[in-house]
Every structure is written in structure tokens, then in C-alpha cells.
Amino acid sequence: MTPQEVLEYAKKSGLKQLDLRFCDIPGLQHHISYPITELTEDSFQEGFGMDGSSIRGWAAINESDMLLIPDPNTRFTDPFYEVPTLVMTCDVIDPITRQSYNRDPRWIARKAEMYLKNTGVGDTAYFGAEAEFFIFDNVRFDQNQHSGFYFIDAEEGRWNSGRENDNLGYRPRYKEGYFPVPPTDHYQMLRSQMVETMIQCGLNIECHHHEVATGGQCEIDQRFDTLVKSADNMLVYKYLVRNTANLYGKTVTFMPKPLFADNGSGMHTHQSIWSGGKPLFAGDGYAGLSPMGLNYIGGLLKHARALSAIIAPTTNSYKRLVPGYEAPVNLAYSRRNRSAACRIPMYSASPKAKRVEFRPPDAAANPYLAFAAMLMAGLDGVLNKLDPGEPLDKDIYDLSQEEMESVPSMPASLEEALDCLAEDHEFLLKGDVFSDDLIETFIDYKRKNEADAIRLRPHPYEFALYYDI
């Protein structure tokens, strides 16, 4: 879509406001709004000014001026605002140099796509992410110098089965929410409304269903798209899920592990490389993969521990990545086996369906950084012909201790993941896709504001363990 077509769309649709959106390094989307009369064809070149010093991980206050350049291909009408509003995703540029800002996550994702083409390996990387989330009815949390707690409630939560009043039963048992029909599945209608809203806003949805955990765990699957477009779509997806739930008096979280002793929420990410409209991962090797597909897996597995800081970027992520809850802790690959970090889906024999599913990511990740980092790891495997080793078709959780010792594993904490990224990030620097500055900023931010912040605070369960010691 051209800028002129966007202006015509806004006029024809009677839109009154313009909402420009962009993403910070941790992955939170921000926005600023203008009367629609401020949008002209020149706006798509000249941009809109903003203060970058107030955005996490961005510019210092003495170099804070930034420009937002709207991408006309991202336009949609916001389905929630009372005043008709045109929404567009923006690239961020430096107003002095007119160059893309090197800490803009969307620019990093675009550079990853350019790097793929420059390597000659292929011309298109497709990503399809399956984001899981919880729908709750009430959440309370607080932390201060002398107290700390959280409290979650969900009408669908199995813990409400003994409630005396207003109790109709029909709640999924712990780890048995995949996937009974209503009324046990409380959220068929709400998910359906989310899907209809997504389609209205231009997303291509394949299916939706309840997930394994009680308490309202759900999944809505988008169709794959190119790397940057898939990352754009993931932010729109999260926005639409949260706000549709809000209309129904519900609250949604993409936290990887909000409930103890039940499954956490992941973002299994399907990926493939194509060239000239032809899939390059299809072949006659293991699980119907080509040598390139196997080498791509080799890159993902080699760098998985470093990737973990970007694809599972919270302290809470490592409460999900533990054995026993379908979480891919061990770094292996397999066809069909969901306990492996890399899975090759076998639903279809079509070469176009041949892809690699990387299972450790969660939806707390910044999709631009996560997809770009996974592509860089896979390309490192392809370019260096990395052998992924032998597949592991057994249930990993049934292996003996001796067998387990030969299978590498994901980091056990955010601190360990950040250490791994600090030690292994040369593959991300190829083609100037990531920079040392960005990686250092990311690691420093995560250590100071998340890992250290959690480490310094007493945990409520410590009182149960140690108060009478």
C-alpha cells in the first residue's frame, strides 16, 4: 500500500485520529496519537518527532530526538477506540543522520532479512509463532520493603471447584486442559471474538483452542509470514488479545509461568527458508529434511543457550523451562517428539510444509529480536554446515541419568542465560545485524532491572522454608 492509498483509506473510512506505534528493546509497544489531519504524504518521509530518552534502553537525554516513520503496509483501523483511529507501525530514525536507529528492534529484524539475501542462502525467511496465554478474572500483586505477594483468580481455575456459591463445576483438571469442549472450555466464545477481531485487522488466523493448563490457558495460531511481518503481527496479536479480553471484563497475561504446578505458556516458533518461491528445507534426509534444514537445526542447537536470553528473556521464563511440563529443556531434535527443543512437524508430506519448530521461546520475548536471533543462529549452522548430531526420538523425560548426561540443556536461570549470551554472540554480529552496543545494552538492562531485582528481594516461599530455622 502506498502513502496515497493510506490517505484515501483514512478518508473513505471516516478516520479521525492517527495512532503511531513502535517497540522498545524489552518488547513493550508504545504509541502516540495525532489528529488525522497531521498525516500527509510527506509524513511518510519526514516522520513525526518523539523523545527517545524516555524509552527503555534507548538514547541518552542529550541525544533524545527521534523520528517515527510510519510503514503504510501496516495500517489498520483500531477496533477498540471510540474515535475512529488509523493505526500504523513505525520505523525509528535519527533526525540528524536520517539513518535507522541502531536500537530500534524493527530495524534489527529488517537487517536480518537483508543479511539472509546477502548470504545467497535464500531470499525469504518465514516465521510462524504460536503464542500461548492465560485469561484470568482477577490479579493482585505488590512488593515493598516489608511485604510481597501475588494472587490470581480465574473462574475456570480448578482451585474454584470447592467454592460454595455460584459454582457450576466444569473446570479443566490440572494439566488436562487440552482440549475439552465447552462448558469445560470456558473461553470458546471469547477466543472466537478475538479471532474475528484479528481477521478484521488483517491477521491470518489458522485455528484456536484451549491449552493444557487449567485457569484459562489458550492458544490462537497465526499463519506464517515473512520475518518482519510476523513480528509486526505478533505485537498486533498481543494488543488485540488483551483488549478483547478487557472488553469482556477479563485480563490476559503472556507471562511464561503465572501458575505453579501446571503448564506454562510458550511461543513455539516455526521457521523455514525459501528462494525464488521454493522451500529449501525439504529433502530426502531425516524427517524429510534437506541438508540445509538439518544444518539450520545444528545452528539453533549450537547457539540455543545464548539465544535463550533473547527468546526466553525473563526470570519467569525459567520457571517454565523445567522438566515435566512439556517444556523443551533439553537441546535435541526429533520428528513429532514435543519434548525436543527442535521438532520437525510431520502433518503434511508437502515440501512447502517442511519447516523447523523451535520450542523454547515464550511470548515475553521481543518478536523482532527473537526472530532475528533465531534466523542468525540457523544461518550460522547453514553457512558452516553444522551437524545437529543424531535425532532423539525417545521421550526425553524417560531417559536414564546416563543417557541424559549426553544431552545438553537450556540455562536454568536468566542470569545463566545472560552469561551464555555474553560468551556467545559473534554469530549475531554477522552482517551488522546486531551490534555489540545493542547486546551490551540488552544484557546490562536485564541484569540490573530484572535478574538483580529478583535476586535482591525475599520470596514469600522463603518464609515457609526458613522462618523457623
Side-chain angles (χ1 to χ4, degrees):
M1 181 166 283
T2 66
Q4 180 59 39
E5 288 172 329
V6 171
L7 293 173
E8 292 171 359
Y9 168 81
K11 183 177 180 180
K12 182 179 178 180
S13 303
L15 303 181
K16 304 296 184 183
Q17 289 281 306
L18 169 67
D19 203 50
L20 300 181
R21 300 180 183 179
F22 62 96
C23 184
D24 64 14
I25 289 176
L28 185 68
Q29 199 173 31
H30 300 262
H31 77 132
I32 182 171
S33 300
Y34 303 87
I36 198 69
T37 51
E38 292 296 303
L39 182 66
T40 66
E41 279 196 69
D42 290 341
S43 303
F44 292 87
Q45 295 292 328
E46 297 175 359
F48 295 81
M50 62 156 291
D51 175 11
S53 67
S54 298
I55 305 302
R56 294 180 297 177
W58 277 22
I61 196 167
N62 62 320
E63 51 183 25
S64 61
D65 287 350
M66 297 287 166
L67 287 175
L68 298 176
I69 306 295
D71 182 343
N73 292 306
T74 63
R75 69 104 184 104
F76 68 91
T77 300
D78 191 284
F80 306 110
Y81 292 170
E82 291 184 10
V83 176
T85 300
L86 174 69
V87 177
M88 284 186 284
T89 299
C90 295
D91 294 304
V92 184
I93 70 169
D94 186 306
I96 306 298
T97 66
R98 302 293 299 185
Q99 299 297 309
S100 297
Y101 181 47
N102 65 356
R103 294 187 188 178
D104 174 16
R106 194 168 192 258
W107 170 232
I108 292 161
R110 289 174 58 200
K111 285 192 291 182
E113 289 188 320
M114 290 187 283
Y115 176 68
L116 167 63
K117 294 178 181 178
N118 291 337
T119 63
V121 169
D123 55 32
T124 307
Y126 285 114
F127 280 74
E130 303 170 345
E132 300 164 343
F133 54 91
F134 279 89
I135 302 172
F136 295 140
D137 289 273
N138 184 266
V139 59
R140 295 183 287 121
F141 50 88
D142 194 18
Q143 182 90 40
N144 54 43
Q145 287 81 357
H146 67 96
S147 66
F149 77 95
Y150 70 91
F151 182 86
I152 293 167
D153 201 13
E155 174 60 31
E156 198 197 74
R158 187 69 178 182
W159 58 85
N160 277 318
S161 294
R163 193 176 65 202
E164 184 172 348
N165 298 316
D166 301 318
N167 190 347
L168 300 178
Y170 292 108
R171 295 179 177 88
R173 286 177 282 272
Y174 293 99
K175 300 176 73 171
E176 293 186 23
Y178 193 86
F179 27 44
V181 298
T184 304
D185 176 1
H186 287 213
Y187 296 120
Q188 171 69 22
M189 292 304 297
L190 177 51
R191 288 197 311 273
S192 296
Q193 185 59 56
M194 290 173 177
V195 167
E196 292 304 310
T197 304
M198 290 174 182
I199 294 171
Q200 173 189 332
C201 293
L203 299 187
N204 194 337
I205 304 302
E206 293 186 331
C207 70
H208 65 93
H209 56 82
H210 202 284
E211 259 298 340
V212 174
T214 191
Q217 190 185 36
C218 297
E219 179 179 314
I220 300 174
D221 291 343
Q222 300 181 69
R223 185 170 175 79
F224 66 87
D225 212 321
T226 55
L227 189 155
V228 172
K229 186 60 177 173
S230 286
D232 288 342
N233 289 346
M234 182 52 66
L235 292 183
V236 175
Y237 171 100
K238 293 173 77 172
Y239 174 77
L240 297 179
V241 166
R242 288 180 176 129
N243 282 277
T244 304
N246 192 61
L247 288 178
Y248 281 73
K250 308 290 185 181
T251 179
V252 161
T253 183
F254 289 90
M255 274 182 71
K257 188 75 169 183
L259 297 182
F260 172 63
D262 212 336
N263 280 34
S265 296
M267 186 179 70
H268 306 150
T269 305
H270 298 253
Q271 43 208 287
S272 61
I273 296 175
W274 293 49
S275 181
K278 296 182 179 180
L280 301 182
F281 281 7
D284 56 5
Y286 174 80
L289 284 175
S290 65
M292 179 186 291
L294 289 167
N295 292 153
Y296 191 96
I297 290 173
L300 286 174
L301 294 179
K302 176 182 177 181
H303 299 296
R305 289 173 58 79
L307 286 174
S308 62
I310 298 173
I311 64 170
T314 70
T315 58
N316 189 250
S317 299
Y318 298 88
K319 293 176 172 61
R320 167 187 170 248
L321 291 173
V322 294
Y325 296 91
E326 297 188 16
V329 178
N330 300 291
L331 300 176
Y333 73 102
S334 174
R335 60 187 172 196
R336 303 176 66 183
N337 189 344
R338 283 174 164 79
S339 62
C342 284
R343 186 178 77 94
I344 304 97
M346 302 299 291
Y347 298 121
S348 172
S350 170
K352 293 183 178 180
K354 192 55 60 180
R355 61 198 186 273
V356 173
E357 178 192 12
F358 195 49
R359 295 176 63 80
D362 63 58
N366 182 319
Y368 298 109
L369 300 183
F371 297 169
M374 284 186 276
L375 177 63
M376 296 301 289
L379 286 176
D380 188 61
V382 172
L383 294 171
N384 292 290
K385 300 189 183 309
L386 296 179
D387 184 353
E390 293 298 314
L392 194 57
D393 289 329
K394 301 178 183 178
D395 185 338
I396 293 177
Y397 303 126
D398 289 340
L399 296 180
S400 68
Q401 184 63 38
E402 184 178 347
E403 289 174 309
M404 284 293 297
E405 289 175 358
S406 65
V407 181
S409 62
M410 291 287 286
S413 67
L414 179 60
E415 294 96 323
E416 186 181 351
L418 293 170
D419 288 341
C420 292
L421 179 60
E423 294 168 4
D424 175 25
H425 61 259
E426 286 297 320
F427 70 99
L428 296 173
L429 305 179
K430 302 290 178 61
D432 295 324
V433 174
F434 286 76
S435 65
D436 280 317
D437 171 69
L438 177 80
I439 292 171
E440 289 171 8
T441 299
F442 181 89
I443 291 174
D444 289 347
Y445 177 87
K446 288 287 180 177
R447 284 199 198 283
K448 177 181 177 181
N449 295 285
E450 299 181 27
D452 287 351
I454 292 293
R455 182 173 56 84
L456 292 172
R457 285 164 170 78
H459 188 286
Y461 196 62
E462 289 179 310
F463 285 80
L465 291 172
Y466 309 128
Y467 188 80
D468 60 350
I469 197 76

